[in-house]
Amino acid sequence: MRVKPVFGTGLIVMENTNSKIKAFESFNNTFKYCTYGMVFSNIYPNKTNMKRRLYLYIFIVFCTSPCLISYAYSCRFYIMQQDMFNLTRHLAVGIVIGLYLFKVLYCILNTNKFESILNTVSCDMIDVNEFDDGAKKLYGLFLKKAKLGELIWALLPIILGLQFPVYAGIVMIHENIWKDYPQREMVHEMEITFAKDVKYDSPVFEIIFVISTASCIILIPNFCGLDGSFCIATTHLGFKLKYVGYLVREAFEDCNDSFELHVKMKHATKCHQKALQFYKELQDFYGPWLLGIFIVTSSLIAFNLYQMYIIQRLHPKYVLFAVAAILHMYVPCVYASNVTEFGEDLATELYCAAWERKFDISATKSVIIMLANAQRPLILTGCGIVTYNMQLFITVMKSTYSFYTLITST
């Protein structure tokens, strides 16, 4: 039996197949880190519980409201005091929290779009088991790239999210061992309106520390789920494009009669149209997220550079934050660039296929149509404002440095 999970419906479609062991499984079974991240971050695309997930989102915001209120008050306080160092330190954390709040709400409200993308990936992965050995080997290469992207977004958020409570804990351990009058370290230092004079006293300090740590932990699965799914989905699109070229090449090289050639070319044309439609779905769903990533990472890098400039040393927390921000921008640029590259390669592969060996007008016309469609670049953008490629990454690095020099000169 072949099992096809349908995201968000609770349905499982089973089809008769041979009894041999399947090399490729569904999305949930293959990309477990990403799936768990979506589940625990409340963005798993299940349209049957959208209201419950929305209520849970509101409940989480309510539970963390003391930290959010203190954060807003601190920003106002630092602005009034013209304290640029603490303001940028606060904004560096605040825009990450803002990105999290946006992503969760966005995924809940766009469950149908997200579900369609993951369903396409999952069903296609199971269908690969019915392909020939050459196609299976091709998909195996793309699967490794997808798993690498998943692994990056499983580790990077953990390092970034836990650095705050871990650093605070290390500082307090050092204080208690080496100093007669140890001081306490907050997870993130800020002005707390309702506990301004007693925030370092027990049990207020412990309560705030636990709430702040919980807030850091809540952020981790979200990045693993949504950001990881982008790497997986774009890699899958790359396979779909590469598979079209593989089908056309095999059709002209292996077919012995016109009927078989027409059948294979018709299948290749359908696969190409599905790949183009999948590209449109990716752009439609991930576009706002890509724009948010561009804004957040650019600001984060500049803010952390400014903080290290003020203290005149490489602080571990700020260095790690800046490196994580750079990777947060670099990884989507790489995977988006791969999509554009595979789209360009498809045009070359179609032209280089042995179509001139077959004197078949219908098959040649199919190649011409696919070749014309392949001429349009497959570019992923942030709502049409920023184009994601490696040039964007270089531009962001230059713009960030320019912004850094601007704020350091004021």
Side-chain angles (χ1 to χ4, degrees):
M1 303 293 287
R2 178 170 59 184
V3 181
K4 286 188 176 184
V6 182
F7 280 81
T9 61
L11 300 178
I12 294 180
V13 179
M14 305 185 71
E15 300 179 2
N16 290 323
T17 61
N18 52 40
S19 59
K20 63 181 180 181
I21 299 176
K22 303 300 181 183
F24 304 103
E25 299 182 286
S26 65
F27 183 98
N28 291 354
N29 292 331
T30 304
F31 305 105
K32 294 183 179 180
Y33 296 142
C34 183
T35 302
Y36 292 148
M38 289 187 290
V39 171
F40 289 113
S41 62
N42 200 29
I43 65 173
Y44 189 88
N46 187 348
K47 58 188 175 184
T48 62
N49 64 358
M50 282 181 60
K51 288 185 177 180
R52 282 179 288 177
R53 288 191 288 129
L54 186 59
Y55 294 150
L56 179 59
Y57 170 78
I58 297 173
F59 176 75
I60 292 174
V61 173
F62 175 78
C63 290
T64 57
S65 58
C67 290
L68 297 176
I69 293 172
S70 298
Y71 168 79
Y73 174 81
S74 297
C75 286
R76 178 181 177 276
F77 177 81
Y78 296 138
I79 292 174
M80 297 297 293
Q81 297 293 322
Q82 298 183 354
D83 188 348
M84 184 63 71
F85 173 76
N86 281 315
L87 179 60
T88 54
R89 180 178 60 84
H90 243 50
L91 291 177
V93 175
I95 56 180
V96 175
I97 297 174
L99 180 63
Y100 163 80
L101 296 175
F102 161 75
K103 289 197 296 183
V104 175
L105 184 60
Y106 177 77
C107 288
I108 293 175
L109 297 179
N110 292 274
T111 292
N112 291 334
K113 295 179 181 179
F114 199 17
E115 174 191 337
S116 176
I117 291 173
L118 298 186
N119 264 333
T120 299
V121 175
S122 188
C123 293
D124 287 349
M125 289 175 64
I126 297 175
D127 288 339
V128 172
N129 291 296
E130 309 303 321
F131 293 173
D132 58 45
D133 292 338
K136 289 180 180 179
K137 184 178 180 180
L138 178 64
Y139 184 72
L141 298 175
F142 281 87
L143 184 60
K144 292 180 180 179
K145 295 180 180 180
K147 281 187 169 292
L148 175 61
E150 180 194 31
L151 181 62
I152 291 173
W153 288 115
L155 296 177
L156 186 60
I158 293 176
I159 297 173
L160 183 60
L162 294 183
Q163 68 159 327
F164 291 94
V166 170
Y167 177 80
I170 293 174
V171 169
M172 287 190 291
I173 291 173
H174 179 271
E175 290 277 330
N176 281 275
I177 293 177
W178 299 104
K179 294 188 178 180
D180 297 331
Y181 301 97
Q183 296 181 352
R184 289 180 168 183
E185 180 82 9
M186 301 286 287
V187 173
H188 178 68
E189 185 64 37
M190 57 186 173
E191 302 295 325
I192 302 176
T193 56
F194 50 85
K196 183 179 296 186
D197 298 326
V198 295
K199 64 179 182 180
Y200 291 107
D201 299 334
S202 298
V204 176
F205 174 82
E206 286 78 5
I207 294 174
I208 295 175
F209 194 94
V210 170
I211 294 176
S212 300
T213 302
S215 301
C216 294
I217 295 175
I218 289 174
L219 296 175
I220 294 173
N222 178 273
F223 287 88
C224 181
L226 183 59
D227 299 43
S229 71
F230 175 78
C231 296
I232 295 169
T234 50
T235 303
H236 187 74
L237 174 58
F239 165 74
K240 291 171 78 72
L241 294 170
K242 204 72 175 179
Y243 181 60
V244 171
Y246 174 84
L247 288 175
V248 173
R249 184 174 64 254
E250 292 294 309
F252 282 104
E253 291 180 355
D254 298 341
C255 291
N256 298 318
D257 55 71
S258 295
F259 177 76
E260 184 181 3
L261 178 62
H262 291 169
V263 171
K264 289 191 174 184
M265 287 303 300
K266 184 178 180 180
H267 177 59
T269 303
K270 288 183 177 180
C271 289
H272 190 207
Q273 292 301 316
K274 289 180 179 179
L276 296 178
Q277 179 60 35
F278 188 60
Y279 157 73
K280 293 179 180 178
E281 292 179 4
L282 293 187
Q283 176 58 61
D284 185 37
F285 177 74
Y286 288 107
W289 170 76
L290 290 172
L291 179 60
I293 292 297
F294 170 76
I295 296 173
V296 167
T297 53
S298 302
S299 304
L300 277 179
I301 299 169
F303 289 157
N304 282 276
L305 287 176
Y306 176 76
Q307 290 157 16
M308 286 185 286
Y309 167 79
I310 292 297
I311 63 177
Q312 293 295 307
R313 64 187 178 90
L314 295 177
H315 194 287
K317 183 188 292 187
Y318 301 144
V319 170
L320 188 58
F321 216 146
V323 171
I326 292 173
L327 289 176
H328 202 168
M329 187 68 196
Y330 176 76
V331 174
C333 284
V334 170
Y335 280 83
S337 295
N338 289 339
V339 170
T340 304
E341 181 182 345
F342 289 129
E344 295 172 351
D345 290 345
L346 176 60
T348 303
E349 290 180 17
L350 292 174
Y351 181 78
C352 294
W355 50 269
E356 75 281 357
R357 300 180 187 176
K358 306 288 184 180
F359 298 99
D360 192 296
I361 297 177
S362 177
T364 305
K365 286 183 177 179
S366 297
V367 174
I368 293 173
I369 293 174
M370 285 191 287
L371 189 58
N373 289 329
Q375 295 297 315
R376 290 176 290 184
L378 302 182
I379 300 173
L380 293 171
T381 67
C383 294
I385 299 176
V386 290
T387 300
Y388 266 74
N389 50 35
M390 295 312 299
Q391 183 60 42
L392 175 65
F393 177 73
I394 297 173
T395 303
V396 168
M397 295 298 102
K398 292 180 178 179
S399 301
T400 300
Y401 181 75
S402 298
F403 181 60
Y404 162 74
T405 57
L406 175 63
I407 60 179
T408 53
S409 62
T410 56

